Amino acid sequence: MQVHDLQRLRVPATAPAHQGSAIVRELREQSIVLSEEPGGEPWSARRAASCLLAPEVGDRVWFVVEAGAPGQQRSFVTAVLERESDEAARIGVAGAPELRVEAARLTLRADAQLELQADELRARGRLARVVLDECSSVLRTLFTHASKVTVVGKVVETLADRISQHSKISQRTVEQIDQVKAGTIDYRATCSAQIGAEHALVTGAELVKIDGGQIHLG
């Protein structure tokens, strides 16, 4: 045996790095099965951290295979080149528990619908502006704490089984008609109660009663 034959035995063969395009054949929990041609020999690759668009079956992707010993080379999918199906596009980083975008200005725009889903949704900012033609909210519990609340509208309707209000001072101004319809009305004041009008009418279908320690008329 010659010297160069011994050197060939000691040094393992190294396959060169290469890259190209392939078709996604199968999605597994930790890998992606690729083949360069339909019916070609499949192999497994991992999704690179730089591949934000999640590959789907049938996508044509760009892959990179590192140099190394045959059978031990690592293969990565770095980008999705083409997608023929109408599957929803999923953006994320493989294995990352958090995706953070930092920019001076960020715009999300959808022509049809924008949907946010989370177990807990948080929004924080110095100033918020919301402009909507129509808004519908379905809440089980709502708690709002604000230093000042101003509501401006042409028509405000409130429907509830029970309404409770508590305040130190309550003031209300109605320019035209203030009408209350109820089964029973009970007004009580600890100090004084005053009703003043140009014309005041009290009508009872069966009974009108005035009771007091002193009653002054006129």
Side-chain angles (χ1 to χ4, degrees), residues 127-138:
L127 180 65
R129 291 188 177 94
V130 179
V131 180
L132 302 172
D133 290 337
E134 185 177 348
C135 179
S136 299
S137 299
V138 179

Side-chain angles (χ1 to χ4, degrees), residues 99-121:
L99 177 62
R100 178 178 299 179
V101 179
E102 296 183 1
R105 182 175 180 178
L106 178 63
T107 301
L108 298 178
R109 180 175 298 173
D111 295 333
Q113 183 178 5
L114 179 62
E115 184 175 346
L116 300 176
Q117 289 186 359
D119 182 65
E120 182 177 353
L121 182 63

Side-chain angles (χ1 to χ4, degrees), residues 162-196:
R162 179 181 178 184
I163 298 177
S164 299
Q165 294 179 332
H166 177 77
S167 64
K168 291 183 178 180
I169 299 176
S170 177
Q171 293 179 332
R172 186 175 63 178
T173 300
V174 180
E175 292 184 357
Q176 295 183 7
I177 299 175
D178 187 10
Q179 187 179 67
V180 178
K181 294 182 179 181
T184 301
I185 297 178
D186 185 2
Y187 287 114
R188 299 188 183 187
T190 56
C191 295
S192 61
Q194 179 179 346
I195 298 177

Side-chain angles (χ1 to χ4, degrees), residues 9-138:
L9 292 175
R10 296 192 190 99
V11 180
T14 300
H18 64 280
Q19 58 184 344
S21 65
I23 303 296
V24 177
R25 298 303 178 191
E26 183 182 351
L27 296 177
R28 297 177 180 175
E29 186 175 355
Q30 299 294 335
S31 63
I32 304 172
V33 179
L34 307 175
S35 65
E36 295 191 38
E37 297 296 338
E41 183 179 356
W43 79 94
S44 295
R46 296 174 58 188
R47 179 182 171 190
S50 61
C51 185
L52 298 182
L53 180 60
E56 298 290 344
V57 175
D59 290 354
R60 178 167 290 277
V61 299
W62 191 260
F63 69 89
V64 173
V65 179
E66 295 180 338
Q72 299 181 3
Q73 295 174 278
R74 297 193 305 172
S75 180
F76 296 92
V77 173
T78 59
V80 176
L81 303 179
E82 186 179 16
R83 174 172 294 175
E84 296 182 355
S85 65
D86 295 331
E87 294 290 337
R90 296 182 295 111
I91 297 178
V93 179
E98 179 181 357
L99 177 62
R100 178 178 299 179
V101 179
E102 296 183 1
R105 182 175 180 178
L106 178 63
T107 301
L108 298 178
R109 180 175 298 173
D111 295 333
Q113 183 178 5
L114 179 62
E115 184 175 346
L116 300 176
Q117 289 186 359
D119 182 65
E120 182 177 353
L121 182 63
R122 295 184 181 183
R124 179 180 297 179
R126 186 189 63 83
L127 180 65
R129 291 188 177 94
V130 179
V131 180
L132 302 172
D133 290 337
E134 185 177 348
C135 179
S136 299
S137 299
V138 179

